[in-house]
Amino acid sequence: MTAVLDLRAVAFAAAARGWPVFPLRSGGKKPAIKRWPELASTDEDRIHRWWGYNPRYNVAIATGPAGLHVIDLDARHMSPPTPDLTEALARLAAHLTQPAPPTLTIATPAGWHLYYRAPNEPLLRCTVARIGEGIDSRGHGGYVVAPGSRTPHGDYTVAVNRPVADLPDMLIQQIIPPPPAPAPAGGPSRSVAVHPGSYLAAILAAEAEQVARARVHLRNHTLFRSALVLGRLVAADEVSEHDARTVLTDAAAAHIGVEGFTAAEAHRTVSNGFRYSRARPRRLRP
């Protein structure tokens, strides 16, 4: 019974800090509700309903609406892997001009989450290994598992209990995406930026992360599947083909040159996915 009450308290504790929450599947990290980017909330009644339905739900914090940008030190994907927070912070500092400022730090089953207060501008989305090997981040369109949540692989606990610091400029510059490739001839493309905080942004971020994290033997299948997902949005004119291709190409960049995977193969896989999706447009708005 204590575990059940603790999880409910976790949701209220995060909401009390102004951080919108939503439920994750019991013992897991996957959302237990659809449309979580829209439904994440600090509303007590909504939280009561969610955890009243299943008090064992884990808790997620929607990072963008919470005004947070969380640096994810995934120790397993660092080379070599490290079980030590001090060493993981040193790996992060190696990509910066000086060590990152101390802040609220959460121990996860895979490493650590460093919570920072995000700037109002620029809008910072999720990244995968953009800062460095094994260093991801969660911003607009993403979420983190709140401390107090429990999984079969380990619990999320407070490792360093400090106030949340401002995200330093040196990290902001690392997180800002590189400029997109020039738009194709025939008119300007519809920029992804015209959908700030939208469900579309969450879809783009999720598919990019799937591609970037794909295992070597599944990377082509994963890229094709993500191209099918985004291709349906292209077919419905929810996003331009140029922007969708840029998202997928950027996510696949880490695989180029690994065990024979080429940029040409990535381009061909994305093109095939878009072609097969043309007859099945998906509209996000009525």
Side-chain angles (χ1 to χ4, degrees):
M1 179 63 70
T2 301
V4 174
L5 294 175
D6 283 349
L7 286 172
R8 193 183 301 233
V10 165
F12 281 113
R17 301 185 70 155
W19 297 344
V21 299
F22 63 92
L24 301 173
R25 294 178 186 176
S26 302
K29 301 192 296 181
K30 294 185 177 180
I33 61 171
K34 297 180 179 179
R35 297 168 48 222
W36 63 263
E38 304 168 34
L39 297 178
S41 179
T42 59
D43 181 73
E44 290 188 7
D45 290 338
R46 182 174 291 184
I47 293 171
H48 268 302
R49 286 197 302 272
W50 281 333
W51 276 270
Y53 176 76
N54 186 348
R56 297 185 184 276
Y57 277 148
N58 272 337
V59 182
I61 299 168
T63 44
L68 296 172
H69 202 89
V70 175
I71 305 301
D72 180 3
L73 303 178
D74 189 344
R76 298 172 304 176
H77 290 92
M78 292 180 175
S79 182
T82 176
D84 183 72
L85 173 58
T86 300
E87 175 60 24
L89 290 171
R91 304 275 182 90
L92 172 62
H95 299 280
L96 307 173
T97 56
Q98 61 186 35
T103 191
L104 175 64
T105 303
I106 307 303
T108 79
W112 300 271
H113 286 166
L114 311 180
Y115 282 49
Y116 287 104
R117 189 176 300 107
N120 293 326
E121 293 289 341
L123 186 145
L124 302 174
R125 304 196 186 280
C126 303
T127 66
V128 178
R130 181 172 293 157
I131 300 171
E133 186 179 28
I135 305 173
D136 305 334
S137 73
R138 299 290 178 269
H140 281 273
Y143 63 88
V144 290
V145 182
S149 297
R150 299 172 175 179
T151 77
H153 304 291
D155 300 343
Y156 289 73
T157 60
V158 176
V160 180
N161 192 7
R162 298 180 64 99
V164 176
D166 289 335
L167 186 68
D169 185 66
M170 60 183 176
L171 270 171
I172 293 173
Q173 297 307 313
Q174 293 272 18
I175 293 165
I176 294 173
S189 71
R190 292 174 54 195
S191 171
V192 175
V194 301
H195 304 276
S198 67
Y199 185 37
L200 173 62
I203 295 173
L204 295 173
E207 294 305 322
E209 181 169 356
Q210 290 288 333
V211 170
R213 285 182 174 272
R215 297 179 181 178
V216 170
H217 67 287
L218 292 175
R219 61 192 174 189
N220 215 326
H221 171 80
T222 303
L223 181 58
F224 180 72
R225 189 203 63 79
S226 292
L228 289 174
V229 172
L230 299 193
R232 294 184 63 194
L233 299 175
V234 170
D237 200 34
E238 294 287 350
V239 63
S240 73
E241 179 173 337
H242 169 71
D243 288 328
R245 186 181 292 277
T246 298
V247 167
L248 294 176
T249 301
D250 184 51
H255 299 290
I256 303 301
V258 179
E259 295 191 16
F261 192 70
T262 65
E265 183 178 0
H267 180 86
R268 183 169 58 252
T269 300
V270 172
S271 296
N272 288 340
F274 287 173
R275 184 171 65 255
Y276 281 111
S277 299
R278 285 173 186 162
R280 300 180 61 223
R282 178 189 176 189
R283 293 176 175 81
L284 302 181
R285 296 178 291 269

